[in-house]
Amino acid sequence: MIEIHQGDITTLPVDAIVNAANHSLLGGGGVDGAIHRAAGPQLREFNQTLGGCMTGEARISPGFNLPARHIISTVGPVWRDGMQGEPRLLENAYRNVLELALQHGICSIAFPAISTGVYGYPKQAAARVALGVMREYEARFERIIAVCHSAEDADLYRRTLAGLLEE
Ligand code: AR6
């Protein structure tokens, strides 16, 4: 069962939280900034050894000062007009995070709404991609948590998940 949680992803004591990062993996704004602040400067030092990350790929780091044991960073697509492969790239981001999590024996994982902030991906369309991939993997995890920063986003996720379950 996919859980929808409203709040700050950095507070969750799970095996892994997912970061919506940029290619450098060295920090930024939004959820990326919050995760780097909460994990501490060791995250940036560690990520300097990873050599960056392409759009749709995923990299794993320790959780450092977070309650989460690991951070899996991915880079979502920047939304242009929807005709530049954005849906496939967003799907790849979710899928590659979940595959990497399985390789590392992670049982509980929490995701932010990748690409829906600074990168401008329309929220409804992004929620359909996110929840669609999560449903494919849910049987292989104890917990998959979709974290929404606002109550409005959590409502959108609940409605989108209900719609997918009816299909
Ligand atoms: N917990 C959960 N969700 C959050 C939090 C939080 N603490 N803070 C923000 N969100 P964004 P992107 C939500 O912009 O669109 C960075 O600068 C937010 O409401 O963080 O993938 C990176 O370095 C939104 O729904 O990520 C990249 O340059 C979602 O997280 C770029 O932004 C994603 O918004 C990535 O942009």
Side-chain angles (χ1 to χ4, degrees):
M1 202 44 197
I2 296 162
E3 300 168 45
I4 295 168
H5 175 87
Q6 189 212 328
D8 177 2
I9 200 168
T10 65
T11 65
L12 298 182
V14 286
D15 291 341
I17 64 167
V18 177
N19 189 11
N22 58 54
H23 295 129
S24 77
L25 302 179
L26 302 181
V31 71
D32 191 14
I35 290 173
H36 274 266
R37 275 193 298 280
Q42 288 161 289
L43 176 59
R44 186 183 160 94
E45 275 170 41
F46 182 91
N47 284 0
Q48 271 166 341
T49 68
L50 297 179
C53 184
M54 302 281 279
T55 305
E57 293 183 356
R59 299 285 183 274
I60 191 163
S61 318
F64 298 108
N65 297 335
L66 289 175
R69 285 175 43 224
H70 302 280
I71 299 159
I72 300 184
S73 297
T74 187
V75 182
V78 176
W79 178 266
R80 296 207 167 79
D81 56 6
M83 307 296 283
Q84 314 302 319
E86 295 94 332
R88 177 50 63 90
L89 290 167
L90 187 61
E91 192 182 315
N92 287 348
Y94 281 95
R95 202 178 291 285
N96 286 325
V97 165
L98 289 161
E99 290 291 340
L100 190 59
L102 288 172
Q103 285 166 24
H104 286 265
I106 283 162
C107 298
S108 57
I109 185 164
F111 283 89
I114 298 164
S115 284
T116 65
V118 176
Y119 282 179
Y121 205 110
K123 289 188 173 190
Q124 167 88 67
R128 286 183 67 88
V129 171
L131 293 164
V133 181
M134 288 177 203
R135 281 195 66 203
E136 276 180 45
Y137 283 82
E138 66 182 329
R140 285 182 268 170
F141 287 85
E142 278 169 24
R143 301 181 74 189
I144 299 184
I145 307 167
V147 182
C148 298
H149 210 204
S150 70
E152 197 186 332
D153 290 352
D155 278 346
L156 171 71
Y157 261 65
R158 284 193 197 96
R159 279 186 272 114
T160 305
L161 183 58
L164 287 175
L165 293 172
E166 275 171 17
E167 276 174 11

